Amino acid sequence: MLELLLKGFWSGIAAVGFAILFNVPKRTLFPIGALGAIGGLVKFGLMYFGVGIVFSSFVGATVVGIISIQMAHLKNSPPLVFSIPGVIPMVPGAFAYRMMLGLIALIQLEDSDTYIQTLIDMVNNGAKMSFILMSLAIGVSMPMLITRKESIKRSKFNKEKKVTV
């Protein structure tokens, strides 16, 4: 359980680091750190209970997307300021690294059994990476797309204009 809390904490720290790199307003750093920690806790918590990494990443990104909309209203900033740095710690860098190492190893291998096993591992890591990235993108964007539809109904563009003659 302590390991899960540590992963959440470090996810929050990583989110703040990326937020600083993106030059976000200072008033948004603490909420971004909290979002990164919450997203990391959701993802790693679900994985701890046996849920797959792709679905865990999707749920974590969805939670970050939903909370980022509320934070955007509270801090008067766009939701992307909160959601993108909050999700970046969930990006599957290890799978991408292993895929690239497998690709490089394929060039040097001559034994057919080792070649096939390395190819299988490389494709497996690449597929996991791709599906996790897709789940992160869908998980972050879905709440924003759904709430955008509701908020446009209340906007000034949707009100009927009265024509005076």
Side-chain angles (χ1 to χ4, degrees):
M1 193 57 124
L2 180 62
E3 182 181 343
L4 183 65
L5 292 173
L6 279 173
K7 286 183 179 182
F9 172 76
W10 289 114
S11 293
I13 297 295
V16 170
F18 280 105
I20 291 170
L21 284 175
F22 294 151
N23 201 21
V24 300
K26 288 181 183 179
R27 69 179 186 277
T28 62
L29 288 178
F30 181 74
I32 288 170
L35 270 175
I38 290 168
L41 282 173
V42 169
K43 176 186 174 182
F44 294 117
L46 288 173
M47 288 173 60
Y48 178 78
F49 290 111
V51 179
I53 189 168
V54 175
F55 188 70
S56 298
S57 298
F58 172 74
V59 174
T62 303
V63 168
V64 169
I66 290 169
I67 297 174
S68 69
I69 295 167
Q70 300 302 318
M71 287 294 145
H73 291 295
L74 291 174
K75 296 291 184 178
N76 295 325
S77 293
L80 291 176
V81 167
F82 301 97
S83 62
I84 299 304
V87 168
I88 285 181
M90 290 188 254
V91 170
F95 291 115
Y97 179 72
R98 287 187 214 128
M99 183 193 71
M100 291 307 295
L101 284 180
L103 185 62
I104 293 169
L106 285 178
I107 297 169
Q108 301 170 353
L109 292 175
E110 294 179 10
D111 180 32
S112 63
D113 291 337
T114 310
Y115 184 88
I116 290 174
Q117 185 58 44
T118 304
L119 180 65
I120 290 170
D121 291 341
M122 184 197 73
V123 170
N124 186 23
N125 286 322
K128 280 184 185 177
M129 176 197 65
S130 299
F131 284 120
I132 292 170
L133 288 175
M134 284 188 283
S135 69
L136 291 177
I138 292 169
V140 165
S141 61
M142 194 171 51
M144 290 181 208
L145 292 173
I146 290 170
T147 58
R148 184 73 158 154
K149 205 174 210 181
E150 291 176 4
S151 64
I152 196 70
K153 290 179 183 176
R154 292 185 225 139
S155 72
K156 65 181 178 181
F157 299 112
N158 197 25
K159 294 180 182 176
E160 289 184 32
K161 294 181 181 179
K162 295 181 182 180
V163 178
T164 57
V165 180

